């Protein structure tokens, strides 16, 4: 089902991104007529539409190197209450170009607590006929008093799941504001 949608978006991007010459371009720029493809500006079409409890979004466009691309996805808020806010997103992209084609799928989940002082994210990505990657991160802020706070967070990621070791990161910060805040 997803591959059919991605192929449909890619075909639509190909049809939309046909090279065209503006009217009277040859007469206005006689010395640059041979560079018509490089002289024109890239065109992008972006949209988003509310569907049910979520939103469908996408972009179709082309690049200076002659490639065309289509990106699309679906985003939804699962809850936004005293538990915090949980959002999810699924997306995909397809690029057709002179140097080869590529397809990319991904999904992510983001959570923020109601006090907006804690956050956690998880993202999975898949390059078709390529690698599957994952990244997770979290952070938390503790307000000790009105002028002092401690924040800490960490991340773990792996560009190719199941191969090699993941990358880990951790950080913390102590802040004190002198003279009131």
């Amino acid at each position: 089902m997803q591959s059919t949608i991605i192929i449909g978006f890619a075909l639509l991007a190909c049809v939309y991104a046909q090279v065209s010459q503006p009217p009277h371009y040859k007469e206005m720029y006689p010395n640059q007529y041979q560079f018509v493809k490089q002289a024109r500006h890239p065109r992008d079409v972006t949209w988003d539409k509310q569907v049910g409890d979520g939103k469908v979004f996408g972009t179709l466009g082309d690049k200076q190197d002659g490639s065309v691309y289509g990106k699309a996805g679906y985003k939804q808020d699962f809850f936004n209450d005293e538990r915090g806010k949980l959002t999810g997103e699924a997306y995909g992209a397809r690029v057709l170009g002179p140097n080869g084609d590529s397809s990319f799928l991904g999904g992510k989940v983001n959570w923020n607590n109601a006090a907006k002082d804690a956050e956690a994210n998880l993202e999975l990505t898949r390059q078709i006929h390529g690698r599957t990657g994952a990244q997770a991160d979290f952070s938390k802020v503790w307000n000790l008093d009105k002028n002092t706070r401690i924040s800490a967070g960490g991340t773990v990621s792996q560009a190719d799941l199941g191969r090699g070791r993941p990358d880990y990161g951790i950080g913390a910060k102590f802040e004190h504001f002198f003279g009131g805040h």
Side-chain angles (χ1 to χ4, degrees), residues 57-120:
F57 59 91
T59 301
L60 297 173
D62 59 343
K63 298 180 181 178
Q64 291 290 356
D65 66 356
S67 60
V68 293
Y69 64 90
K71 297 186 246 181
Y74 179 76
K75 184 175 185 177
Q76 181 175 346
D77 292 344
F78 295 109
F79 60 79
N80 189 1
D81 54 20
E82 69 280 348
R83 299 172 289 181
K85 181 178 181 180
L86 180 67
T87 61
E89 185 176 323
Y91 51 89
R94 177 78 172 142
V95 178
L96 302 171
N99 300 326
D101 305 338
S102 65
S103 298
F104 181 81
L105 299 172
K108 59 184 171 181
V109 177
N110 302 325
W111 173 80
N112 294 311
N113 70 349
K116 302 215 186 301
D117 62 0
E119 179 180 350

Side-chain angles (χ1 to χ4, degrees), residues 116-143:
K116 302 215 186 301
D117 62 0
E119 179 180 350
N121 303 298
L122 173 65
E123 182 170 19
L124 295 172
T125 57
R126 171 81 174 144
Q127 180 79 31
I128 303 302
H129 304 297
R131 299 177 175 178
T132 299
Q135 179 171 341
D137 58 76
F138 59 91
S139 63
K140 172 75 173 134
V141 176
W142 294 271
N143 292 315

Side-chain angles (χ1 to χ4, degrees), residues 24 28 45 52 67 88 90 107 125 131 148-149 168:
H24 309 295
M28 291 171 56
V45 175
S67 60
T125 57
R131 299 177 175 178
T148 308
R149 68 179 172 202
Y168 299 96

Side-chain angles (χ1 to χ4, degrees), residues 29-77:
Y29 304 100
N31 295 333
Q32 296 184 9
Y33 178 69
Q34 62 215 13
F35 304 112
V36 171
K37 190 171 183 181
Q38 286 80 16
R40 71 178 181 83
H41 300 290
R43 298 170 290 182
D44 289 345
V45 175
T46 303
W47 75 93
D48 61 350
K49 181 175 171 85
Q50 197 71 29
V51 176
D53 293 336
K55 182 184 287 190
V56 175
F57 59 91
T59 301
L60 297 173
D62 59 343
K63 298 180 181 178
Q64 291 290 356
D65 66 356
S67 60
V68 293
Y69 64 90
K71 297 186 246 181
Y74 179 76
K75 184 175 185 177
Q76 181 175 346
D77 292 344

